[in-house]
Amino acid sequence: MDELCSHIMDIAANSVTAKAQNILVSITRDSMNSLLMLQIKDDGVGMDEETAYKVQDPFFSTKIGKKVGLGIPLLKGTAETTGGSFRLSSRIGAGTEIYVTFNSRHPDLPPLGNIKDTILVLVVGNPETDFVFRLSSDGNNFVLDTKEVKALLDGVPINHPEVINFLTKYLDENMIFFIH
Ligand SMILES: Nc1ncnc2c1ncn2[C@@H]1O[C@H](COP(=O)(O)OP(=O)(O)OP(=O)(O)O)[C@@H](O)[C@H]1O
Ligand SMILES: [Mg+2]
């Protein structure tokens, strides 16, 4: 996987599969300390302790017909390659949180990729799920909370073409600081 956004898609897709109603994606850049932090938290079905341990191994998946699950081990591998850290905590019935740090100056850190399109695909592709995206880059902050957007839409679906246009423009204008 050559972009961090692909990891974000994959981990958030796991949350959707786990029937999460709310998903938080938080990306924090702290250049002074050479840190890039990624947090993905959901309120899905969660995992018991043994499963939460096993999923960090590539040879585990609960997907039917799939013997090898790669989403989590790949992210863990990328984090550790850069000298960063990986933490997964989960509880049955409560949800799952993945917290990863990367050394932002490590030569093997993949590029972030297109975070704007990643947000759009997740929001528009999962209209029933609520997302909070929290981006922070050296003191500049941006938050998109789909609950707030939906409240303004007054019943118009969040994947309506005009809403997608609006969101695209909104993200273009407000996330500038986060696109390197
Ligand atoms: N957020 C989550 N909530 C509950 N269970 C999860 C969550 N994320 C992962 N899992 C469990 O961990 C397993 C492994 O996840 P992983 O993303 O590594 O592989 P996968 O989703 O099975 O396959 P792949 O991502 O390669 O298509 C999943 O099959 C699922 O059982
Ligand atoms: Mg997966």
Side-chain angles (χ1 to χ4, degrees):
M1 239 174 282
D2 49 5
E3 289 185 341
L4 293 177
C5 278
S6 322
H7 289 289
I8 295 172
M9 283 297 293
D10 212 275
I11 299 300
N14 284 346
S15 299
V16 172
T17 306
K19 303 191 176 71
Q21 187 52 54
N22 295 283
I23 302 174
L24 167 75
V25 177
S26 170
I27 311 172
T28 306
R29 209 154 45 191
D30 174 359
S31 304
M32 268 240 289
N33 294 302
S34 305
L35 262 179
L36 182 70
M37 290 163 276
L38 171 65
Q39 177 196 21
I40 299 177
K41 188 178 173 185
D42 70 54
D43 60 354
V45 294
M47 293 173 259
D48 61 36
E49 208 174 314
E50 192 192 344
T51 308
Y53 178 74
K54 278 190 188 156
V55 295
Q56 301 184 36
D57 179 310
F59 298 102
F60 181 88
S61 177
T62 56
K63 278 193 183 167
I64 296 170
K66 189 160 181 175
K67 290 200 176 64
V68 186
L70 283 179
I72 292 172
L74 278 175
L75 175 59
K76 187 179 183 196
T78 301
E80 288 172 354
T81 301
T82 74
S85 64
F86 177 94
R87 197 183 74 209
L88 185 155
S89 35
S90 191
R91 247 180 49 225
I92 291 277
T96 301
E97 177 177 8
I98 287 179
Y99 182 82
V100 191
T101 66
F102 306 90
N103 174 346
S104 63
R105 287 187 216 281
H106 196 283
D108 292 333
L109 179 73
L112 184 60
N114 191 330
I115 185 69
K116 185 189 94 178
D117 284 356
T118 302
I119 293 176
L120 284 170
V121 168
L122 284 171
V123 167
V124 171
N126 303 286
E128 306 297 331
T129 311
D130 280 310
F131 288 89
V132 174
F133 295 92
R134 213 182 273 156
L135 309 183
S136 166
S137 182
D138 300 323
N140 290 303
N141 300 303
F142 170 74
V143 179
L144 179 77
D145 181 340
T146 60
K147 271 200 185 108
E148 286 173 5
V149 177
K150 285 171 187 171
L152 293 172
L153 287 175
D154 210 21
V156 178
I158 197 157
N159 54 4
H160 186 285
E162 274 177 40
V163 180
I164 298 174
N165 270 339
F166 164 78
L167 283 174
T168 306
K169 281 202 196 103
Y170 181 73
L171 293 175
D172 273 335
E173 283 164 16
N174 291 282
M175 286 180 32
I176 288 260
F177 70 88
F178 213 82
I179 299 158
H180 34 199

